[in-house]
Amino acid sequence: MPLDEFVLVPKETSRGIGQEPCAVTDCGRPRNTVAGRLCLAHVSQHARAEFRGLDLEEFLAHPRVTGHAAPGPCEVVACFLNRVGRAEPYCKAHVQRFYRARRVPGFDEAHWRLTDKAICTTREASLRGLPDRLVAELLYGLMIRTQEGFRSRPECLRPLYDRLRAHQVRRLDEVTDPAAHGNHREQVTMVQTWQRALRLLDMTPETERVKDVWDIAVFGYTGRISFAPILQEPLREAMKVWVYDDLPRRRNKNAVQLARAVIAAVGMLSESLRVQREDGGMVPAAWSRGDIVAFTNRLGYFTSTGRLSAARRLTFTRFVRRVLARFRALGLTAAGQLLEGMPAEFAIAPEDMPDEPADTEAGRDLPEEVMRELCARLDDLEAMSGTEVRVATELLIDTGRRPDEITPSPSTAWNRTPTAPTSSSTTTTRPTDSADACRSAPRQPRSSGASSSASATASPPHRPQVCDSCHGPRPTRKAPSP
């Protein structure tokens, strides 16, 4: 049967989902089953001998068939269904659950009523049985999550609410470890998002700046910033002032990473003060030039042992130099301020800066295996992308250049000027006003056997070194003749 015909076939049976009122007029009791249309009392009445031969419509029209009053809601606090009759305090589903649960030794019916979960009907998620404050927090969290563009599925919310009810949680901040209660990743993310939204309700940049760990969502970023690496309280408080002053001046998404890196650099200065000074570096007025020398020597030792790279050593030294200068510009060394009495000699001098590390660029080269495979598949590359792409790839392989180094920038243009008739009819020149027109030294061609063999027929055996801006011979480094 085709699918479009199958979906038109009516269902022979109906699944009992939710509750519908009894079909008898003025009967407030729920149906025993959705398909049966009668409550349990009227099902029993219909089974009597005097009504046994009547169909449902005749039974409903019989004058002796009258409605019953509603028995009231189920006494399980999370349930929103009605009881099946006056004798049972629960709905039909909870009656069955109650009979199973009371077999367990030590069963507490009052606690079971408070913590048992609601009956799953359609796509509803019950918040009944949760404290009013927790309900408000959950609804606010759902609103924030929806505003952020996320969907909250009922099949994910329902078990989460049931666990909160079972553990008798009163406030969302009482959930310290969402993953510890059997929640899966999506539910853990939900709880963390809700907790973050609730924290932001009472947060402002002014109240957050005094803490040792900042939730920088109040500053318009994501994540946290910890000042724990800075051990001395005056230096730590001064660093908070520096970050508070520096964050609004950043216009990119890396502002937080930069702040963390600067804090790490100042943290190494703090650790050096703690190790080198008898007072642990707690008194800014006692800091001296010797502490700066000890700090720079400490960075040099870490670099020699491999704990710190040469580039990171230079970066950290620059950060500390800039921060100490900014402390003075902000007036933090004046009388009555956080760093009162910090001497002027406690600063990174130009001669304290380490040398720029040599840029070998070895880590940016493609492995030999990759180059060999690329050279072996140049024919396939030409078939897929064209001859121009193959020629450009061979040019990159032969010269060792990168695409952005051989491609003209949008602000420049390649000019073709006619010349005297020679072996070539045109000469290509590039304007000399480009910012990267001249380099200090050319990139050396790769010495890979695979790359040299890939274009041996298309490239001359020797290319003189030329200037990138004018394509003329590059000046040598020899001293001029007298």
Side-chain angles (χ1 to χ4, degrees):
M1 180 184 297
L3 179 62
D4 53 350
E5 297 180 7
F6 173 77
V7 297
L8 298 178
V9 176
K11 294 175 60 177
E12 297 182 357
T13 59
S14 176
R15 182 185 176 192
I17 298 179
Q19 274 187 341
E20 294 291 338
C22 179
V24 177
T25 305
D26 298 332
C27 185
R29 297 187 179 184
R31 299 180 183 182
N32 189 41
T33 62
V34 175
R37 298 179 60 190
L38 297 177
C39 64
L40 185 60
H42 285 115
V43 168
S44 301
Q45 185 180 5
H46 192 202
R48 295 176 187 175
E50 56 182 311
F51 299 105
R52 190 170 299 169
L54 302 178
D55 59 14
L56 182 59
E57 297 301 330
E58 294 174 344
F59 174 76
L60 294 176
H62 199 281
R64 295 181 58 184
V65 177
T66 58
H68 300 286
C74 176
E75 293 189 6
V76 174
V77 295
C79 186
F80 48 85
L81 303 180
N82 291 325
R83 293 185 291 178
V84 294
R86 296 180 180 179
E88 298 290 349
Y90 309 115
C91 65
K92 181 179 180 180
H94 276 117
V95 167
Q96 299 173 0
R97 290 186 185 180
F98 171 72
Y99 289 154
R100 291 193 300 266
R102 68 179 181 178
R103 300 173 186 173
V104 180
F107 172 71
D108 185 357
E109 185 176 358
H111 184 265
W112 177 80
R113 291 180 179 180
L114 294 174
T115 59
D116 196 59
K117 57 186 178 181
I119 304 302
C120 178
T121 61
T122 61
R123 296 179 62 83
E124 297 175 352
S126 175
L127 291 171
R128 293 172 180 262
L130 298 176
D132 293 341
R133 178 185 176 91
L134 181 59
V135 171
E137 291 177 348
L138 294 175
L139 293 178
Y140 178 76
L142 280 177
M143 182 187 70
I144 296 300
R145 181 176 170 84
T146 304
Q147 290 177 352
E148 293 178 353
F150 295 98
R151 295 180 59 187
S152 301
R153 299 179 292 117
E155 56 270 22
C156 182
L157 294 173
R158 191 180 299 114
L160 177 59
Y161 294 161
D162 292 338
R163 294 188 187 97
L164 294 175
R165 186 184 301 108
H167 290 86
Q168 294 291 282
V169 177
R170 295 169 298 177
R171 298 163 56 108
L172 203 56
D173 55 7
E174 295 179 4
V175 184
T176 56
D177 188 4
H181 301 299
N183 298 318
H184 57 73
R185 184 173 60 181
E186 184 178 359
Q187 294 169 336
V188 171
T189 304
M190 280 185 178
V191 174
Q192 293 173 345
T193 303
W194 298 342
Q195 291 175 338
R196 171 179 167 270
L198 292 172
R199 286 196 304 267
L200 292 178
L201 278 176
D202 301 326
M203 285 184 182
T204 62
E206 290 74 18
T207 59
E208 197 70 10
R209 62 178 297 188
V210 300
K211 302 177 183 178
D212 289 341
V213 179
W214 290 4
D215 188 337
I216 54 174
V218 298
F219 297 94
Y221 299 95
T222 57
R224 296 188 177 187
I225 292 180
S226 175
F227 295 87
I230 305 175
L231 307 176
Q232 295 79 14
E233 183 177 358
L235 185 58
R236 182 169 59 250
E237 296 300 323
M239 196 63 203
K240 294 177 185 178
V241 175
W242 183 90
V243 176
Y244 186 78
D245 174 76
D246 189 73
L247 278 178
R249 299 160 56 184
R250 302 294 168 184
R251 299 295 185 270
N252 54 25
K253 61 182 180 181
N254 298 324
V256 178
Q257 288 77 0
L258 176 63
R260 293 191 184 119
V262 176
I263 292 173
V266 179
M268 297 195 71
L269 173 63
S270 173
E271 179 66 18
S272 177
L273 291 172
R274 185 190 67 83
V275 173
Q276 304 293 336
R277 297 194 59 83
E278 296 182 358
D279 59 357
M282 296 296 180
V283 183
W287 298 343
S288 63
R289 170 66 186 172
D291 298 323
I292 295 294
V293 175
F295 169 66
T296 54
N297 288 335
R298 185 179 178 86
L299 294 185
Y301 169 73
F302 287 156
T303 303
S304 64
T305 57
R307 178 177 172 182
L308 205 66
S309 65
R312 181 59 62 88
R313 175 190 177 187
L314 176 62
T315 302
F316 276 17
T317 308
R318 286 173 175 170
F319 285 162
V320 173
R321 180 183 184 185
R322 187 176 67 184
V323 167
L324 293 180
R326 188 62 180 172
F327 283 166
R328 293 182 172 87
L330 293 174
L332 299 180
T333 60
Q337 299 298 318
L338 295 171
L339 301 178
E340 177 182 1
M342 188 178 78
E345 63 181 10
F346 188 76
I348 302 291
E351 57 269 16
D352 296 327
M353 299 297 298
D355 294 334
E356 292 274 358
D359 185 12
T360 60
E361 297 186 354
R364 303 177 67 179
D365 289 341
L366 292 176
E368 296 293 336
E369 296 80 3
V370 177
M371 291 297 302
R372 191 175 296 109
E373 182 68 18
L374 178 61
C375 294
R377 302 292 296 273
L378 286 175
D379 293 337
D380 297 338
L381 179 64
E382 182 178 3
M384 291 186 299
S385 304
T387 307
E388 294 81 2
V389 175
R390 172 172 182 161
V391 172
T393 304
E394 290 179 346
L395 180 62
L396 295 174
I397 294 174
D398 291 341
T399 61
R401 299 278 183 173
R402 299 186 182 88
D404 57 345
E405 295 175 342
I406 67 170
T407 304
S409 60
S411 60
T412 60
W414 292 85
N415 299 324
R416 290 185 172 274
T417 56
T419 57
T422 57
S423 59
S424 60
S425 60
T426 59
T427 301
T428 304
T429 61
R430 187 180 179 182
T432 59
D433 56 349
S434 178
D436 57 347
C438 294
R439 290 180 172 268
S440 58
R443 294 280 306 278
Q444 297 296 328
R446 296 180 59 89
S447 59
S448 170
S451 63
S452 60
S453 62
S455 57
T457 59
S459 304
H462 173 71
R463 287 191 180 95
Q465 297 181 358
V466 296
C467 180
D468 292 343
S469 61
C470 60
H471 285 259
R474 186 181 294 278
T476 61
R477 298 179 180 271
K478 296 181 181 180
S481 58

